[in-house]
């Protein structure tokens, strides 16, 4: 392999922003924020919106973060009853 053309591959912690679920994986992403993992080492933290913990395909159940439905929001926006 040629030197200095490949990204730096390292261990990174991915944190689900909705549930707080954290997992360790390898990635080329980097971050200035770090967190201590179960093994006692510090790793960079990457925050993700959806992970296997909150995605309905993996969990088998729906988790709704939106309280109002689309129809309710439409009616509220246009002052309909």
């Amino acid at each position: 392999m040629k030197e200095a053309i490949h990204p730096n591959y390292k261990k990174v912690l991915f944190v689900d922003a909705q549930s707080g679920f954290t997992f360790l994986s390898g990635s080329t992403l980097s971050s200035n924020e770090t967190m201590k993992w179960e093994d006692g080492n510090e790793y960079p933290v990457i925050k993700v919106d959806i992970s296997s913990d909150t995605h309905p395909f993996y969990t088998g159940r729906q988790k709704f973060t939106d309280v109002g439905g689309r129809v309710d929001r439409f009616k509220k926006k246009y002052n309909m009853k």
Side-chain angles (χ1 to χ4, degrees):
M1 288 196 300
K2 291 184 179 179
E3 294 294 322
I5 64 167
H6 299 285
N8 187 16
Y9 187 79
K10 59 192 167 297
K11 297 283 185 181
V12 179
L13 286 175
F14 289 93
V15 178
D16 190 318
Q18 293 181 19
S19 68
F21 176 70
T22 306
F23 61 95
L24 180 67
S25 182
S27 178
T28 58
L29 295 174
S30 62
S31 172
N32 293 332
E33 186 180 352
T34 61
M35 182 186 293
K36 187 172 272 196
W37 184 239
E38 298 166 351
D39 63 2
N41 294 325
E42 293 250 346
Y43 296 103
V45 175
I46 305 294
K47 294 183 179 173
V48 294
D49 294 327
I50 296 177
S51 71
S52 61
D53 188 52
T54 55
H55 195 281
F57 178 78
Y58 294 107
T59 60
R61 64 188 184 283
Q62 293 284 334
K63 289 186 181 180
F64 293 104
T65 56
D66 189 11
V67 177
R70 290 182 186 213
V71 174
D72 294 333
R73 287 189 306 218
F74 179 83
K75 287 180 178 180
K76 183 178 178 183
K77 182 177 180 180
Y78 295 104
N79 295 323
M80 299 178 153
K81 291 185 179 181

